[in-house]
Amino acid sequence: MPQVYEFIARLVPDRKKACDFVNSFSLKEWNRFLAGFLGRSAEGLIELERKERKYNPESHAKRLDIIVNNWDEIVKIISEELPPAEQVEKYMKKLGMPTMPKELGFSDGEVQGAFLATKDIRDKYIGSRLLWDLGLLDEAKHVCRSVW
């Protein structure tokens, strides 16, 4: 979803906000959400977190330092490497592809839930993990209603 990375590129990291978010994060509540949203598929994700420990405050603090110290480079890579969402949508329409999740029968809630869960799918650092580290994942889910 290119619009997620456009959202990220407009951000200014706020260390306090990110730390406050992590300190209030409940892994137990998150695991309940995953189980409710994904059913039995959540079991593997929950087990993966036990190994990765990405929600551990010390692990988060290390990642946050890297993010804050390299923010300009992160934004530069996004702007140089990814096409604008508008351009992607134009190409998709030209090819006759759906550009809205609703065109495929997905509700906003389903798309937003899937977006929130993407950070746990694999041990891979993606935009949703970056947003979680910044304490902004919930704020970003609203951009998931348009162009894939």
Side-chain angles (χ1 to χ4, degrees), residues 55-104:
Y55 297 127
N56 173 289
E58 291 80 26
S59 299
H60 171 259
K62 289 176 187 176
R63 289 191 310 272
L64 187 59
D65 283 341
I66 293 168
I67 292 165
V68 170
N69 293 333
N70 294 284
W71 188 252
D72 291 341
E73 185 65 22
I74 292 168
V75 172
K76 181 180 177 195
I77 290 168
I78 289 170
S79 66
E80 289 179 354
E81 299 295 326
L82 300 176
E86 213 172 83
Q87 183 180 3
V88 173
E89 182 176 12
K90 179 180 162 189
Y91 290 146
M92 291 172 73
K93 285 181 177 180
K94 186 175 182 178
L95 294 170
M97 297 172 64
T99 59
M100 302 292 286
K102 287 181 180 179
E103 294 175 63
L104 295 172

mmCIF file of all heavy atoms in Angstrom, residues 55-104:
data_model
loop_
_atom_site.group_PDB
_atom_site.id
_atom_site.type_symbol
_atom_site.label_atom_id
_atom_site.label_comp_id
_atom_site.label_asym_id
_atom_site.label_seq_id
_atom_site.Cartn_x
_atom_site.Cartn_y
_atom_site.Cartn_z
ATOM 1 N N TYR A 55 8.109 -6.973 20.990
ATOM 2 C CA TYR A 55 7.333 -6.079 21.845
ATOM 3 C C TYR A 55 8.039 -5.795 23.169
ATOM 4 O O TYR A 55 7.551 -5.025 23.974
ATOM 5 C CB TYR A 55 5.929 -6.644 22.092
ATOM 6 C CG TYR A 55 5.132 -6.766 20.820
ATOM 7 C CD1 TYR A 55 4.538 -7.954 20.446
ATOM 8 C CD2 TYR A 55 4.996 -5.671 19.972
ATOM 9 C CE1 TYR A 55 3.811 -8.053 19.270
ATOM 10 C CE2 TYR A 55 4.270 -5.766 18.800
ATOM 11 C CZ TYR A 55 3.686 -6.963 18.454
ATOM 12 O OH TYR A 55 2.970 -7.053 17.296
ATOM 13 N N ASN A 56 9.165 -6.405 23.377
ATOM 14 C CA ASN A 56 9.969 -6.167 24.565
ATOM 15 C C ASN A 56 10.440 -4.710 24.565
ATOM 16 O O ASN A 56 10.963 -4.230 23.564
ATOM 17 C CB ASN A 56 11.160 -7.135 24.517
ATOM 18 C CG ASN A 56 12.149 -6.889 25.595
ATOM 19 O OD1 ASN A 56 12.859 -5.889 25.568
ATOM 20 N ND2 ASN A 56 12.219 -7.804 26.542
ATOM 21 N N PRO A 57 10.238 -3.969 25.655
ATOM 22 C CA PRO A 57 10.621 -2.551 25.687
ATOM 23 C C PRO A 57 12.092 -2.284 25.352
ATOM 24 O O PRO A 57 12.408 -1.283 24.710
ATOM 25 C CB PRO A 57 10.293 -2.117 27.122
ATOM 26 C CG PRO A 57 9.209 -3.043 27.549
ATOM 27 C CD PRO A 57 9.535 -4.361 26.886
ATOM 28 N N GLU A 58 12.988 -3.168 25.765
ATOM 29 C CA GLU A 58 14.411 -2.967 25.451
ATOM 30 C C GLU A 58 14.667 -3.127 23.947
ATOM 31 O O GLU A 58 15.420 -2.361 23.358
ATOM 32 C CB GLU A 58 15.293 -3.935 26.247
ATOM 33 C CG GLU A 58 15.325 -3.651 27.739
ATOM 34 C CD GLU A 58 14.106 -4.197 28.484
ATOM 35 O OE1 GLU A 58 13.472 -5.180 28.023
ATOM 36 O OE2 GLU A 58 13.748 -3.602 29.521
ATOM 37 N N SER A 59 14.025 -4.116 23.341
ATOM 38 C CA SER A 59 14.153 -4.306 21.887
ATOM 39 C C SER A 59 13.585 -3.093 21.154
ATOM 40 O O SER A 59 14.170 -2.615 20.175
ATOM 41 C CB SER A 59 13.412 -5.565 21.432
ATOM 42 O OG SER A 59 13.939 -6.712 22.042
ATOM 43 N N HIS A 60 12.456 -2.614 21.645
ATOM 44 C CA HIS A 60 11.834 -1.445 21.030
ATOM 45 C C HIS A 60 12.753 -0.235 21.142
ATOM 46 O O HIS A 60 12.926 0.516 20.174
ATOM 47 C CB HIS A 60 10.482 -1.141 21.677
ATOM 48 C CG HIS A 60 9.917 0.152 21.222
ATOM 49 N ND1 HIS A 60 9.995 1.299 21.988
ATOM 50 C CD2 HIS A 60 9.305 0.510 20.065
ATOM 51 C CE1 HIS A 60 9.446 2.298 21.325
ATOM 52 N NE2 HIS A 60 9.010 1.845 20.157
ATOM 53 N N ALA A 61 13.343 -0.019 22.299
ATOM 54 C CA ALA A 61 14.216 1.150 22.500
ATOM 55 C C ALA A 61 15.386 1.137 21.517
ATOM 56 O O ALA A 61 15.745 2.185 20.958
ATOM 57 C CB ALA A 61 14.724 1.179 23.941
ATOM 58 N N LYS A 62 15.953 -0.037 21.272
ATOM 59 C CA LYS A 62 17.062 -0.145 20.313
ATOM 60 C C LYS A 62 16.589 0.207 18.903
ATOM 61 O O LYS A 62 17.272 0.938 18.177
ATOM 62 C CB LYS A 62 17.645 -1.560 20.327
ATOM 63 C CG LYS A 62 18.416 -1.876 21.581
ATOM 64 C CD LYS A 62 18.886 -3.313 21.571
ATOM 65 C CE LYS A 62 19.508 -3.677 22.904
ATOM 66 N NZ LYS A 62 19.880 -5.099 22.963
ATOM 67 N N ARG A 63 15.426 -0.324 18.507
ATOM 68 C CA ARG A 63 14.904 -0.020 17.171
ATOM 69 C C ARG A 63 14.565 1.456 17.053
ATOM 70 O O ARG A 63 14.834 2.087 16.028
ATOM 71 C CB ARG A 63 13.670 -0.867 16.871
ATOM 72 C CG ARG A 63 13.952 -2.327 16.640
ATOM 73 C CD ARG A 63 12.744 -3.076 16.083
ATOM 74 N NE ARG A 63 11.522 -2.862 16.826
ATOM 75 C CZ ARG A 63 11.121 -3.574 17.878
ATOM 76 N NH1 ARG A 63 11.870 -4.558 18.339
ATOM 77 N NH2 ARG A 63 9.966 -3.308 18.475
ATOM 78 N N LEU A 64 13.980 2.018 18.106
ATOM 79 C CA LEU A 64 13.597 3.431 18.069
ATOM 80 C C LEU A 64 14.816 4.328 17.908
ATOM 81 O O LEU A 64 14.776 5.303 17.152
ATOM 82 C CB LEU A 64 12.808 3.792 19.329
ATOM 83 C CG LEU A 64 12.201 5.188 19.359
ATOM 84 C CD1 LEU A 64 11.244 5.408 18.183
ATOM 85 C CD2 LEU A 64 11.477 5.421 20.682
ATOM 86 N N ASP A 65 15.901 4.005 18.581
ATOM 87 C CA ASP A 65 17.141 4.773 18.405
ATOM 88 C C ASP A 65 17.584 4.741 16.946
ATOM 89 O O ASP A 65 17.957 5.769 16.378
ATOM 90 C CB ASP A 65 18.262 4.222 19.290
ATOM 91 C CG ASP A 65 18.134 4.635 20.743
ATOM 92 O OD1 ASP A 65 17.408 5.617 21.021
ATOM 93 O OD2 ASP A 65 18.759 3.975 21.592
ATOM 94 N N ILE A 66 17.546 3.580 16.345
ATOM 95 C CA ILE A 66 17.950 3.438 14.938
ATOM 96 C C ILE A 66 17.023 4.256 14.042
ATOM 97 O O ILE A 66 17.481 4.961 13.140
ATOM 98 C CB ILE A 66 17.969 1.947 14.524
ATOM 99 C CG1 ILE A 66 19.087 1.218 15.275
ATOM 100 C CG2 ILE A 66 18.127 1.808 13.014
ATOM 101 C CD1 ILE A 66 19.021 -0.298 15.180
ATOM 102 N N ILE A 67 15.734 4.177 14.293
ATOM 103 C CA ILE A 67 14.746 4.912 13.494
ATOM 104 C C ILE A 67 14.995 6.414 13.589
ATOM 105 O O ILE A 67 15.108 7.109 12.570
ATOM 106 C CB ILE A 67 13.312 4.581 13.946
ATOM 107 C CG1 ILE A 67 12.962 3.136 13.607
ATOM 108 C CG2 ILE A 67 12.297 5.543 13.313
ATOM 109 C CD1 ILE A 67 11.727 2.613 14.332
ATOM 110 N N VAL A 68 15.068 6.920 14.794
ATOM 111 C CA VAL A 68 15.230 8.363 15.001
ATOM 112 C C VAL A 68 16.549 8.844 14.399
ATOM 113 O O VAL A 68 16.599 9.887 13.733
ATOM 114 C CB VAL A 68 15.126 8.716 16.503
ATOM 115 C CG1 VAL A 68 15.521 10.156 16.761
ATOM 116 C CG2 VAL A 68 13.702 8.453 17.005
ATOM 117 N N ASN A 69 17.613 8.089 14.622
ATOM 118 C CA ASN A 69 18.928 8.495 14.117
ATOM 119 C C ASN A 69 19.048 8.415 12.601
ATOM 120 O O ASN A 69 19.957 9.011 12.021
ATOM 121 C CB ASN A 69 20.032 7.670 14.771
ATOM 122 C CG ASN A 69 20.164 7.948 16.251
ATOM 123 O OD1 ASN A 69 19.823 9.036 16.719
ATOM 124 N ND2 ASN A 69 20.634 6.972 16.995
ATOM 125 N N ASN A 70 18.181 7.666 11.954
ATOM 126 C CA ASN A 70 18.253 7.483 10.504
ATOM 127 C C ASN A 70 17.003 7.973 9.785
ATOM 128 O O ASN A 70 16.756 7.581 8.645
ATOM 129 C CB ASN A 70 18.485 6.003 10.188
ATOM 130 C CG ASN A 70 19.837 5.541 10.659
ATOM 131 O OD1 ASN A 70 20.851 5.840 10.052
ATOM 132 N ND2 ASN A 70 19.866 4.832 11.778
ATOM 133 N N TRP A 71 16.194 8.797 10.447
ATOM 134 C CA TRP A 71 14.908 9.196 9.889
ATOM 135 C C TRP A 71 15.029 9.844 8.518
ATOM 136 O O TRP A 71 14.276 9.516 7.599
ATOM 137 C CB TRP A 71 14.135 10.100 10.843
ATOM 138 C CG TRP A 71 12.748 10.330 10.337
ATOM 139 C CD1 TRP A 71 12.240 11.465 9.814
ATOM 140 C CD2 TRP A 71 11.725 9.349 10.242
ATOM 141 N NE1 TRP A 71 10.937 11.275 9.416
ATOM 142 C CE2 TRP A 71 10.603 9.966 9.662
ATOM 143 C CE3 TRP A 71 11.637 7.994 10.588
ATOM 144 C CZ2 TRP A 71 9.415 9.286 9.439
ATOM 145 C CZ3 TRP A 71 10.455 7.329 10.356
ATOM 146 C CH2 TRP A 71 9.363 7.979 9.785
ATOM 147 N N ASP A 72 15.957 10.761 8.348
ATOM 148 C CA ASP A 72 16.095 11.432 7.053
ATOM 149 C C ASP A 72 16.386 10.430 5.938
ATOM 150 O O ASP A 72 15.848 10.547 4.836
ATOM 151 C CB ASP A 72 17.197 12.499 7.107
ATOM 152 C CG ASP A 72 16.812 13.684 7.970
ATOM 153 O OD1 ASP A 72 15.600 13.876 8.231
ATOM 154 O OD2 ASP A 72 17.723 14.428 8.396
ATOM 155 N N GLU A 73 17.194 9.436 6.225
ATOM 156 C CA GLU A 73 17.520 8.408 5.229
ATOM 157 C C GLU A 73 16.297 7.533 4.930
ATOM 158 O O GLU A 73 16.062 7.152 3.783
ATOM 159 C CB GLU A 73 18.687 7.548 5.726
ATOM 160 C CG GLU A 73 19.165 6.542 4.713
ATOM 161 C CD GLU A 73 19.778 7.154 3.460
ATOM 162 O OE1 GLU A 73 20.224 8.315 3.486
ATOM 163 O OE2 GLU A 73 19.806 6.449 2.429
ATOM 164 N N ILE A 74 15.521 7.230 5.944
ATOM 165 C CA ILE A 74 14.301 6.433 5.752
ATOM 166 C C ILE A 74 13.347 7.164 4.815
ATOM 167 O O ILE A 74 12.836 6.583 3.847
ATOM 168 C CB ILE A 74 13.628 6.133 7.110
ATOM 169 C CG1 ILE A 74 14.497 5.176 7.930
ATOM 170 C CG2 ILE A 74 12.218 5.566 6.917
ATOM 171 C CD1 ILE A 74 14.084 5.037 9.384
ATOM 172 N N VAL A 75 13.123 8.439 5.082
ATOM 173 C CA VAL A 75 12.223 9.235 4.238
ATOM 174 C C VAL A 75 12.783 9.360 2.823
ATOM 175 O O VAL A 75 12.038 9.275 1.840
ATOM 176 C CB VAL A 75 11.978 10.624 4.876
ATOM 177 C CG1 VAL A 75 11.218 11.533 3.924
ATOM 178 C CG2 VAL A 75 11.213 10.463 6.182
ATOM 179 N N LYS A 76 14.083 9.510 2.698
ATOM 180 C CA LYS A 76 14.717 9.614 1.378
ATOM 181 C C LYS A 76 14.500 8.328 0.571
ATOM 182 O O LYS A 76 14.153 8.386 -0.612
ATOM 183 C CB LYS A 76 16.214 9.887 1.545
ATOM 184 C CG LYS A 76 16.955 10.024 0.246
ATOM 185 C CD LYS A 76 18.434 10.285 0.487
ATOM 186 C CE LYS A 76 19.148 10.337 -0.853
ATOM 187 N NZ LYS A 76 20.594 10.238 -0.693
ATOM 188 N N ILE A 77 14.670 7.201 1.204
ATOM 189 C CA ILE A 77 14.471 5.916 0.510
ATOM 190 C C ILE A 77 13.021 5.777 0.054
ATOM 191 O O ILE A 77 12.752 5.364 -1.080
ATOM 192 C CB ILE A 77 14.887 4.740 1.414
ATOM 193 C CG1 ILE A 77 16.408 4.734 1.585
ATOM 194 C CG2 ILE A 77 14.391 3.409 0.850
ATOM 195 C CD1 ILE A 77 16.907 3.807 2.674
ATOM 196 N N ILE A 78 12.091 6.138 0.925
ATOM 197 C CA ILE A 78 10.667 6.063 0.560
ATOM 198 C C ILE A 78 10.399 6.931 -0.663
ATOM 199 O O ILE A 78 9.766 6.494 -1.627
ATOM 200 C CB ILE A 78 9.772 6.480 1.743
ATOM 201 C CG1 ILE A 78 9.812 5.413 2.839
ATOM 202 C CG2 ILE A 78 8.327 6.730 1.279
ATOM 203 C CD1 ILE A 78 9.156 5.822 4.140
ATOM 204 N N SER A 79 10.894 8.158 -0.637
ATOM 205 C CA SER A 79 10.603 9.090 -1.736
ATOM 206 C C SER A 79 11.310 8.695 -3.032
ATOM 207 O O SER A 79 10.783 8.930 -4.118
ATOM 208 C CB SER A 79 10.947 10.522 -1.340
ATOM 209 O OG SER A 79 12.333 10.666 -1.150
ATOM 210 N N GLU A 80 12.475 8.097 -2.935
ATOM 211 C CA GLU A 80 13.227 7.731 -4.141
ATOM 212 C C GLU A 80 12.821 6.386 -4.725
ATOM 213 O O GLU A 80 12.903 6.180 -5.929
ATOM 214 C CB GLU A 80 14.728 7.702 -3.833
ATOM 215 C CG GLU A 80 15.330 9.064 -3.603
ATOM 216 C CD GLU A 80 16.814 9.013 -3.268
ATOM 217 O OE1 GLU A 80 17.373 7.898 -3.103
ATOM 218 O OE2 GLU A 80 17.418 10.092 -3.163
ATOM 219 N N GLU A 81 12.405 5.473 -3.879
ATOM 220 C CA GLU A 81 12.197 4.098 -4.336
ATOM 221 C C GLU A 81 10.741 3.716 -4.620
ATOM 222 O O GLU A 81 10.500 2.783 -5.371
ATOM 223 C CB GLU A 81 12.774 3.110 -3.309
ATOM 224 C CG GLU A 81 14.260 3.266 -3.083
ATOM 225 C CD GLU A 81 15.093 2.935 -4.307
ATOM 226 O OE1 GLU A 81 14.696 2.038 -5.082
ATOM 227 O OE2 GLU A 81 16.140 3.570 -4.495
ATOM 228 N N LEU A 82 9.808 4.413 -4.010
ATOM 229 C CA LEU A 82 8.415 4.005 -4.152
ATOM 230 C C LEU A 82 7.629 4.990 -5.007
ATOM 231 O O LEU A 82 7.734 6.202 -4.820
ATOM 232 C CB LEU A 82 7.767 3.887 -2.772
ATOM 233 C CG LEU A 82 8.413 2.875 -1.837
ATOM 234 C CD1 LEU A 82 7.755 2.919 -0.470
ATOM 235 C CD2 LEU A 82 8.357 1.480 -2.413
ATOM 236 N N PRO A 83 6.829 4.481 -5.917
ATOM 237 C CA PRO A 83 6.003 5.385 -6.727
ATOM 238 C C PRO A 83 4.882 5.985 -5.885
ATOM 239 O O PRO A 83 4.431 5.359 -4.920
ATOM 240 C CB PRO A 83 5.439 4.473 -7.822
ATOM 241 C CG PRO A 83 5.432 3.109 -7.201
ATOM 242 C CD PRO A 83 6.609 3.076 -6.262
ATOM 243 N N PRO A 84 4.417 7.165 -6.243
ATOM 244 C CA PRO A 84 3.300 7.766 -5.512
ATOM 245 C C PRO A 84 2.035 6.905 -5.641
ATOM 246 O O PRO A 84 1.805 6.265 -6.671
ATOM 247 C CB PRO A 84 3.097 9.117 -6.192
ATOM 248 C CG PRO A 84 4.325 9.355 -7.007
ATOM 249 C CD PRO A 84 4.922 8.024 -7.302
ATOM 250 N N ALA A 85 1.223 6.921 -4.603
ATOM 251 C CA ALA A 85 -0.026 6.147 -4.607
ATOM 252 C C ALA A 85 -0.897 6.514 -5.796
ATOM 253 O O ALA A 85 -1.536 5.652 -6.406
ATOM 254 C CB ALA A 85 -0.780 6.357 -3.301
ATOM 255 N N GLU A 86 -0.926 7.780 -6.121
ATOM 256 C CA GLU A 86 -1.726 8.263 -7.254
ATOM 257 C C GLU A 86 -1.302 7.573 -8.558
ATOM 258 O O GLU A 86 -2.134 7.181 -9.375
ATOM 259 C CB GLU A 86 -1.531 9.777 -7.382
ATOM 260 C CG GLU A 86 -2.726 10.528 -7.869
ATOM 261 C CD GLU A 86 -2.461 12.027 -7.755
ATOM 262 O OE1 GLU A 86 -1.818 12.577 -8.663
ATOM 263 O OE2 GLU A 86 -2.916 12.619 -6.747
ATOM 264 N N GLN A 87 -0.009 7.425 -8.750
ATOM 265 C CA GLN A 87 0.511 6.776 -9.953
ATOM 266 C C GLN A 87 0.163 5.294 -9.963
ATOM 267 O O GLN A 87 -0.231 4.754 -10.999
ATOM 268 C CB GLN A 87 2.031 6.961 -10.024
ATOM 269 C CG GLN A 87 2.650 6.384 -11.276
ATOM 270 C CD GLN A 87 4.164 6.586 -11.291
ATOM 271 O OE1 GLN A 87 4.753 7.101 -10.353
ATOM 272 N NE2 GLN A 87 4.789 6.157 -12.370
ATOM 273 N N VAL A 88 0.282 4.636 -8.815
ATOM 274 C CA VAL A 88 -0.067 3.220 -8.717
ATOM 275 C C VAL A 88 -1.539 3.027 -9.042
ATOM 276 O O VAL A 88 -1.911 2.128 -9.809
ATOM 277 C CB VAL A 88 0.275 2.664 -7.314
ATOM 278 C CG1 VAL A 88 -0.241 1.240 -7.157
ATOM 279 C CG2 VAL A 88 1.771 2.720 -7.066
ATOM 280 N N GLU A 89 -2.385 3.886 -8.479
ATOM 281 C CA GLU A 89 -3.822 3.790 -8.745
ATOM 282 C C GLU A 89 -4.108 3.977 -10.237
ATOM 283 O O GLU A 89 -4.921 3.250 -10.823
ATOM 284 C CB GLU A 89 -4.590 4.825 -7.927
ATOM 285 C CG GLU A 89 -6.090 4.727 -8.131
ATOM 286 C CD GLU A 89 -6.865 5.686 -7.252
ATOM 287 O OE1 GLU A 89 -6.267 6.588 -6.646
ATOM 288 O OE2 GLU A 89 -8.092 5.521 -7.187
ATOM 289 N N LYS A 90 -3.430 4.917 -10.847
ATOM 290 C CA LYS A 90 -3.618 5.173 -12.284
ATOM 291 C C LYS A 90 -3.277 3.921 -13.101
ATOM 292 O O LYS A 90 -4.027 3.523 -13.998
ATOM 293 C CB LYS A 90 -2.731 6.351 -12.703
ATOM 294 C CG LYS A 90 -2.815 6.715 -14.156
ATOM 295 C CD LYS A 90 -1.890 7.891 -14.457
ATOM 296 C CE LYS A 90 -1.622 7.991 -15.934
ATOM 297 N NZ LYS A 90 -0.586 8.978 -16.241
ATOM 298 N N TYR A 91 -2.153 3.289 -12.789
ATOM 299 C CA TYR A 91 -1.746 2.067 -13.499
ATOM 300 C C TYR A 91 -2.746 0.939 -13.258
ATOM 301 O O TYR A 91 -3.094 0.199 -14.186
ATOM 302 C CB TYR A 91 -0.359 1.616 -13.059
ATOM 303 C CG TYR A 91 0.768 2.509 -13.511
ATOM 304 C CD1 TYR A 91 1.881 2.691 -12.711
ATOM 305 C CD2 TYR A 91 0.736 3.175 -14.735
ATOM 306 C CE1 TYR A 91 2.929 3.508 -13.103
ATOM 307 C CE2 TYR A 91 1.785 3.989 -15.136
ATOM 308 C CZ TYR A 91 2.876 4.155 -14.320
ATOM 309 O OH TYR A 91 3.913 4.951 -14.721
ATOM 310 N N MET A 92 -3.197 0.807 -12.022
ATOM 311 C CA MET A 92 -4.146 -0.253 -11.707
ATOM 312 C C MET A 92 -5.445 -0.068 -12.478
ATOM 313 O O MET A 92 -5.989 -1.033 -13.027
ATOM 314 C CB MET A 92 -4.398 -0.294 -10.198
ATOM 315 C CG MET A 92 -3.201 -0.773 -9.397
ATOM 316 S SD MET A 92 -3.411 -0.622 -7.606
ATOM 317 C CE MET A 92 -4.585 -1.940 -7.305
ATOM 318 N N LYS A 93 -5.937 1.150 -12.520
ATOM 319 C CA LYS A 93 -7.171 1.420 -13.268
ATOM 320 C C LYS A 93 -6.981 1.142 -14.754
ATOM 321 O O LYS A 93 -7.864 0.578 -15.403
ATOM 322 C CB LYS A 93 -7.623 2.857 -13.042
ATOM 323 C CG LYS A 93 -8.248 3.076 -11.681
ATOM 324 C CD LYS A 93 -8.716 4.497 -11.497
ATOM 325 C CE LYS A 93 -9.395 4.656 -10.142
ATOM 326 N NZ LYS A 93 -9.879 5.994 -9.896
ATOM 327 N N LYS A 94 -5.830 1.542 -15.265
ATOM 328 C CA LYS A 94 -5.536 1.316 -16.686
ATOM 329 C C LYS A 94 -5.557 -0.181 -17.021
ATOM 330 O O LYS A 94 -5.981 -0.582 -18.101
ATOM 331 C CB LYS A 94 -4.168 1.912 -17.034
ATOM 332 C CG LYS A 94 -3.820 1.860 -18.491
ATOM 333 C CD LYS A 94 -2.515 2.576 -18.776
ATOM 334 C CE LYS A 94 -2.207 2.551 -20.258
ATOM 335 N NZ LYS A 94 -0.966 3.268 -20.565
ATOM 336 N N LEU A 95 -5.125 -1.006 -16.075
ATOM 337 C CA LEU A 95 -5.107 -2.452 -16.264
ATOM 338 C C LEU A 95 -6.437 -3.113 -15.895
ATOM 339 O O LEU A 95 -6.583 -4.326 -16.000
ATOM 340 C CB LEU A 95 -3.984 -3.072 -15.432
ATOM 341 C CG LEU A 95 -2.570 -2.697 -15.860
ATOM 342 C CD1 LEU A 95 -1.560 -3.164 -14.829
ATOM 343 C CD2 LEU A 95 -2.263 -3.278 -17.230
ATOM 344 N N GLY A 96 -7.394 -2.294 -15.446
ATOM 345 C CA GLY A 96 -8.702 -2.830 -15.071
ATOM 346 C C GLY A 96 -8.711 -3.505 -13.714
ATOM 347 O O GLY A 96 -9.598 -4.306 -13.429
ATOM 348 N N MET A 97 -7.742 -3.201 -12.899
ATOM 349 C CA MET A 97 -7.649 -3.807 -11.571
ATOM 350 C C MET A 97 -8.483 -3.026 -10.557
ATOM 351 O O MET A 97 -8.651 -1.820 -10.698
ATOM 352 C CB MET A 97 -6.179 -3.814 -11.105
ATOM 353 C CG MET A 97 -5.257 -4.637 -11.971
ATOM 354 S SD MET A 97 -3.522 -4.412 -11.496
ATOM 355 C CE MET A 97 -3.537 -5.088 -9.853
ATOM 356 N N PRO A 98 -8.965 -3.706 -9.538
ATOM 357 C CA PRO A 98 -9.666 -2.985 -8.469
ATOM 358 C C PRO A 98 -8.673 -2.125 -7.690
ATOM 359 O O PRO A 98 -7.520 -2.509 -7.507
ATOM 360 C CB PRO A 98 -10.228 -4.101 -7.585
ATOM 361 C CG PRO A 98 -9.434 -5.313 -7.911
ATOM 362 C CD PRO A 98 -8.922 -5.143 -9.310
ATOM 363 N N THR A 99 -9.119 -0.972 -7.247
ATOM 364 C CA THR A 99 -8.257 -0.084 -6.470
ATOM 365 C C THR A 99 -8.790 0.128 -5.058
ATOM 366 O O THR A 99 -8.130 0.771 -4.254
ATOM 367 C CB THR A 99 -8.111 1.291 -7.161
ATOM 368 O OG1 THR A 99 -9.399 1.867 -7.309
ATOM 369 C CG2 THR A 99 -7.429 1.148 -8.512
ATOM 370 N N MET A 100 -9.957 -0.388 -4.797
ATOM 371 C CA MET A 100 -10.568 -0.243 -3.478
ATOM 372 C C MET A 100 -10.869 -1.628 -2.915
ATOM 373 O O MET A 100 -11.403 -2.485 -3.631
ATOM 374 C CB MET A 100 -11.875 0.547 -3.582
ATOM 375 C CG MET A 100 -11.739 1.936 -4.180
ATOM 376 S SD MET A 100 -10.824 3.055 -3.137
ATOM 377 C CE MET A 100 -12.029 3.376 -1.876
ATOM 378 N N PRO A 101 -10.551 -1.865 -1.661
ATOM 379 C CA PRO A 101 -10.840 -3.164 -1.060
ATOM 380 C C PRO A 101 -12.320 -3.555 -1.189
ATOM 381 O O PRO A 101 -12.631 -4.726 -1.367
ATOM 382 C CB PRO A 101 -10.444 -2.978 0.409
ATOM 383 C CG PRO A 101 -9.400 -1.902 0.367
ATOM 384 C CD PRO A 101 -9.829 -0.982 -0.744
ATOM 385 N N LYS A 102 -13.203 -2.568 -1.136
ATOM 386 C CA LYS A 102 -14.638 -2.864 -1.237
ATOM 387 C C LYS A 102 -14.981 -3.500 -2.584
ATOM 388 O O LYS A 102 -15.952 -4.248 -2.695
ATOM 389 C CB LYS A 102 -15.457 -1.596 -1.031
ATOM 390 C CG LYS A 102 -15.469 -1.142 0.407
ATOM 391 C CD LYS A 102 -16.299 0.099 0.608
ATOM 392 C CE LYS A 102 -16.247 0.486 2.075
ATOM 393 N NZ LYS A 102 -16.986 1.665 2.400
ATOM 394 N N GLU A 103 -14.190 -3.188 -3.605
ATOM 395 C CA GLU A 103 -14.426 -3.780 -4.924
ATOM 396 C C GLU A 103 -14.209 -5.287 -4.901
ATOM 397 O O GLU A 103 -14.684 -5.999 -5.793
ATOM 398 C CB GLU A 103 -13.509 -3.141 -5.969
ATOM 399 C CG GLU A 103 -13.805 -1.676 -6.239
ATOM 400 C CD GLU A 103 -12.811 -1.055 -7.194
ATOM 401 O OE1 GLU A 103 -12.748 -1.492 -8.364
ATOM 402 O OE2 GLU A 103 -12.079 -0.146 -6.757
ATOM 403 N N LEU A 104 -13.497 -5.777 -3.902
ATOM 404 C CA LEU A 104 -13.259 -7.211 -3.752
ATOM 405 C C LEU A 104 -14.075 -7.807 -2.610
ATOM 406 O O LEU A 104 -13.893 -8.959 -2.239
ATOM 407 C CB LEU A 104 -11.767 -7.475 -3.517
ATOM 408 C CG LEU A 104 -10.856 -7.102 -4.688
ATOM 409 C CD1 LEU A 104 -9.403 -7.226 -4.278
ATOM 410 C CD2 LEU A 104 -11.146 -7.986 -5.888
#
